[in-house]
Amino acid sequence: MRCEANRNRDAGMATAELVACLPVLILLLAFALSVESIGATRTRVQDAAREAARAAARGDLDTAHLLAAEAAPGSTVSITSTADEVMAVVHIHVHLLARWLPSVTITERAVAAAEPTVPP
């Protein structure tokens, strides 16, 4: 009888502990999902910079911007070139899972050797 009384008193403790920890667990899950989202976006931005640099190295700037927009929608691309190489820099702003958190700016760059042009 005495054991049953203790068990009845302790039955609500697990529920109270779960209610106290649940917001922390949800925040931890949101943080983990946001980090994974940033990692996936960073990969897309790296791909966009690489594709843009390769197309610009061939002398096709329109295709470079188009490929970067397809690889990372919503990104901005800037392309600079010298006599020997072309550099593409891609920026994108990412909103985290929780809208009240600040946005993150991801910037990636890629460099490609400029292809020689053939005189007419």
Side-chain angles (χ1 to χ4, degrees):
M1 176 85 166
R2 188 171 182 186
C3 229
E4 284 182 30
N6 285 341
R7 196 176 315 147
N8 288 339
R9 274 192 315 192
D10 293 339
M13 287 300 290
T15 305
E17 290 169 355
L18 178 64
V19 168
C21 293
L22 197 57
V24 173
L25 293 175
I26 290 173
L27 187 61
L28 204 59
L29 178 64
F31 176 75
L33 290 174
S34 294
V35 167
E36 191 278 328
S37 174
I38 289 172
T41 302
R42 184 169 182 227
T43 301
R44 285 197 322 266
V45 173
Q46 285 174 343
D47 291 343
R50 185 187 67 241
E51 293 298 324
R54 291 178 68 197
R58 292 189 306 266
D60 195 357
L61 293 177
D62 293 334
T63 302
H65 288 282
L66 181 66
L67 288 173
E70 287 177 1
S75 63
T76 58
V77 182
S78 62
I79 298 173
T80 58
S81 61
T82 63
D84 297 340
E85 62 187 23
V86 175
M87 182 170 58
V89 180
V90 179
H91 302 279
I92 192 167
H93 296 285
V94 179
H95 293 282
L96 301 177
L97 187 63
R99 293 289 177 193
W100 47 271
L101 292 173
S103 65
V104 176
T105 302
I106 298 174
T107 303
E108 292 294 333
R109 59 183 46 95
V111 178
E115 294 188 14
T117 57
V118 178

